[in-house]
Amino acid sequence: MARQPKLTKRALKRYVKLNKSTRFIAGYFKVSERTVYRRIKKYGLKDIRPKGRKPLPIVKPIPIPRGWSTSNSYINKLNKQYDFRNITFLPTRYVNTISLVCSNRKRNPRRKFTTCTVYYVAFESQLYFLYPMQIKYSREPKSFDEIYHYISNNAHELLTTKLKGQDIEVVEIVAFHFYNKPNNTIKKEISETIQTVLENADSKKLRGSKRRNL
């Protein structure tokens, strides 16, 4: 059985100098991130970490046609550019590569919506990922123009806020998918109604069976 590495001052100093993230160090030594923070402070290692983020690996841009494109073709081109660790395909047939709007037709959606899933390129642990992030805009459905204007103008800030404290960098926003999130309360009420109907039906069958046996 492999020996568990110990979080000594010498070992911690080495990884801090290499600019390894607190999450990486905690995972390697099998301790909490809070423990790593405390040891860095205790050993006076805070000021030896290189300043600023590590530079992003250089990627070769792939030409992407402007306008409506099939979602699969669009994601495949992005994958050639970033070589994603994971591939998340979009839920619609098309995406507009200028507005980044997802749709099943080559036009903007015309319904009202409450929620948007923002698909973005993330840089984490020296690798690129394509992640989705759900953003609830309102409780009541709003027009496409209203929700798109807000999300498209604030998406980067919203993602950064939601990812605060995580070692994930938002590189590029690639798509917006608008929809209405199912109301769990309504689903629960429907489930309870169905259960009540079934219980009533079973009760009637039982009473009918008792009468026949009399």
Side-chain angles (χ1 to χ4, degrees):
M1 184 175 179
R3 292 179 61 185
Q4 175 66 37
K6 293 183 178 180
L7 185 59
T8 63
K9 179 179 179 179
R10 184 178 179 180
L12 182 57
K13 183 177 181 179
R14 176 170 174 260
Y15 283 102
V16 171
K17 272 193 169 184
L18 289 172
N19 205 20
K20 294 296 184 181
S21 69
T22 303
R23 179 187 294 181
F24 175 88
I25 297 172
Y28 180 78
F29 290 101
K30 301 295 188 294
V31 297
S32 68
E33 292 186 38
R34 189 173 180 180
T35 297
V36 175
Y37 281 121
R38 285 201 304 265
R39 295 288 180 88
I40 288 176
K41 186 177 180 180
K42 177 182 177 181
Y43 297 144
L45 302 177
K46 187 175 181 181
D47 295 330
I48 70 171
R49 186 184 290 277
K51 301 294 183 182
R53 284 181 172 271
K54 293 182 181 179
L56 298 178
I58 297 174
V59 296
K60 184 179 179 181
I62 301 294
I64 296 177
R66 293 171 64 81
W68 290 103
S69 170
T70 61
S71 296
N72 286 355
S73 173
Y74 177 56
I75 296 301
N76 285 333
K77 283 183 169 61
L78 288 173
N79 186 42
K80 288 180 181 179
Q81 178 174 328
Y82 289 105
D83 190 20
F84 293 127
R85 181 70 174 177
N86 74 321
I87 298 181
T88 305
F89 285 97
L90 304 178
T92 57
R93 293 179 63 187
Y94 303 104
V95 59
N96 190 302
T97 60
I98 301 173
S99 65
L100 307 182
V101 172
C102 293
S103 179
N104 282 318
R105 299 184 181 183
K106 293 183 178 181
R107 59 170 174 77
N108 289 338
R110 295 175 180 173
R111 297 186 293 113
K112 294 183 177 182
F113 304 96
T114 62
T115 310
C116 175
T117 296
V118 179
Y119 293 85
Y120 65 99
V121 177
F123 184 66
E124 181 181 15
S125 302
Q126 297 298 300
L127 296 168
Y128 288 104
F129 297 83
L130 181 57
Y131 285 151
M133 175 73 77
Q134 184 185 99
I135 298 175
K136 181 72 175 290
Y137 176 68
S138 63
R139 297 182 64 181
E140 298 297 325
K142 302 295 181 181
S143 69
F144 167 78
D145 288 343
E146 178 182 334
I147 188 172
Y148 172 73
H149 178 77
Y150 175 80
I151 296 293
S152 61
N153 284 301
N154 297 280
H156 197 281
E157 183 179 349
L158 292 168
L159 291 178
T160 303
T161 301
K162 282 178 171 285
L163 295 170
K164 188 176 181 180
Q166 301 184 50
D167 194 21
I168 299 175
E169 183 171 350
V170 178
V171 178
E172 179 184 3
I173 294 169
V174 299
F176 302 116
H177 175 229
F178 299 93
Y179 61 99
N180 292 309
K181 190 175 180 181
N183 189 319
N184 291 331
T185 302
I186 294 175
K187 291 172 71 175
K188 182 180 179 182
E189 289 176 354
I190 293 173
S191 177
E192 289 175 348
T193 301
I194 293 173
Q195 185 64 31
T196 301
V197 170
L198 292 174
E199 288 174 354
N200 289 340
D202 289 340
S203 178
K204 288 180 180 178
K205 287 181 180 178
L206 183 61
R207 288 199 298 270
S209 177
K210 286 182 178 179
R211 288 196 191 99
R212 286 194 296 271
N213 293 331
L214 290 175

PDB file of all heavy atoms in Angstrom, residues 26 36 54 79 168 174 177:
ATOM      1  N   ALA A  26      -4.518  20.384  -1.514  1.00  0.00           N
ATOM      2  CA  ALA A  26      -5.387  19.697  -0.557  1.00  0.00           C
ATOM      3  C   ALA A  26      -5.713  18.287  -1.033  1.00  0.00           C
ATOM      4  O   ALA A  26      -5.716  17.331  -0.253  1.00  0.00           O
ATOM      5  CB  ALA A  26      -6.666  20.507  -0.355  1.00  0.00           C
ATOM      6  N   VAL A  36      -4.736  23.684   4.367  1.00  0.00           N
ATOM      7  CA  VAL A  36      -3.655  24.207   3.524  1.00  0.00           C
ATOM      8  C   VAL A  36      -3.464  25.703   3.774  1.00  0.00           C
ATOM      9  O   VAL A  36      -2.332  26.180   3.924  1.00  0.00           O
ATOM     10  CB  VAL A  36      -3.949  23.939   2.032  1.00  0.00           C
ATOM     11  CG1 VAL A  36      -2.876  24.586   1.155  1.00  0.00           C
ATOM     12  CG2 VAL A  36      -4.031  22.450   1.757  1.00  0.00           C
ATOM     13  N   LYS A  54      -1.457  31.738 -13.945  1.00  0.00           N
ATOM     14  CA  LYS A  54      -0.633  31.125 -14.969  1.00  0.00           C
ATOM     15  C   LYS A  54      -1.191  31.524 -16.333  1.00  0.00           C
ATOM     16  O   LYS A  54      -2.404  31.604 -16.515  1.00  0.00           O
ATOM     17  CB  LYS A  54      -0.675  29.599 -14.839  1.00  0.00           C
ATOM     18  CG  LYS A  54      -0.027  29.063 -13.586  1.00  0.00           C
ATOM     19  CD  LYS A  54      -0.093  27.554 -13.591  1.00  0.00           C
ATOM     20  CE  LYS A  54       0.539  26.987 -12.326  1.00  0.00           C
ATOM     21  NZ  LYS A  54       0.468  25.511 -12.298  1.00  0.00           N
ATOM     22  N   ASN A  79     -14.144  22.285 -30.280  1.00  0.00           N
ATOM     23  CA  ASN A  79     -13.335  21.203 -29.713  1.00  0.00           C
ATOM     24  C   ASN A  79     -11.983  21.096 -30.414  1.00  0.00           C
ATOM     25  O   ASN A  79     -10.962  20.820 -29.777  1.00  0.00           O
ATOM     26  CB  ASN A  79     -14.088  19.881 -29.812  1.00  0.00           C
ATOM     27  CG  ASN A  79     -13.362  18.749 -29.117  1.00  0.00           C
ATOM     28  OD1 ASN A  79     -12.822  18.916 -28.026  1.00  0.00           O
ATOM     29  ND2 ASN A  79     -13.323  17.593 -29.751  1.00  0.00           N
ATOM     30  N   ILE A 168     -11.488  28.140 -11.296  1.00  0.00           N
ATOM     31  CA  ILE A 168     -11.984  27.996 -12.669  1.00  0.00           C
ATOM     32  C   ILE A 168     -11.999  29.373 -13.323  1.00  0.00           C
ATOM     33  O   ILE A 168     -12.524  30.327 -12.754  1.00  0.00           O
ATOM     34  CB  ILE A 168     -13.404  27.403 -12.700  1.00  0.00           C
ATOM     35  CG1 ILE A 168     -13.421  26.012 -12.061  1.00  0.00           C
ATOM     36  CG2 ILE A 168     -13.935  27.334 -14.128  1.00  0.00           C
ATOM     37  CD1 ILE A 168     -14.814  25.409 -11.946  1.00  0.00           C
ATOM     38  N   VAL A 174     -20.016  30.645 -25.161  1.00  0.00           N
ATOM     39  CA  VAL A 174     -20.229  30.112 -26.504  1.00  0.00           C
ATOM     40  C   VAL A 174     -21.693  29.918 -26.890  1.00  0.00           C
ATOM     41  O   VAL A 174     -21.992  29.768 -28.079  1.00  0.00           O
ATOM     42  CB  VAL A 174     -19.470  28.784 -26.700  1.00  0.00           C
ATOM     43  CG1 VAL A 174     -17.970  29.003 -26.524  1.00  0.00           C
ATOM     44  CG2 VAL A 174     -19.951  27.711 -25.735  1.00  0.00           C
ATOM     45  N   HIS A 177     -28.979  29.057 -24.046  1.00  0.00           N
ATOM     46  CA  HIS A 177     -30.177  28.259 -24.288  1.00  0.00           C
ATOM     47  C   HIS A 177     -31.266  28.712 -23.324  1.00  0.00           C
ATOM     48  O   HIS A 177     -31.118  28.600 -22.109  1.00  0.00           O
ATOM     49  CB  HIS A 177     -29.902  26.764 -24.088  1.00  0.00           C
ATOM     50  CG  HIS A 177     -31.127  25.923 -24.212  1.00  0.00           C
ATOM     51  ND1 HIS A 177     -31.485  24.961 -23.286  1.00  0.00           N
ATOM     52  CD2 HIS A 177     -32.094  25.916 -25.153  1.00  0.00           C
ATOM     53  CE1 HIS A 177     -32.611  24.397 -23.664  1.00  0.00           C
ATOM     54  NE2 HIS A 177     -33.005  24.949 -24.784  1.00  0.00           N
TER      55      HIS A 177
END
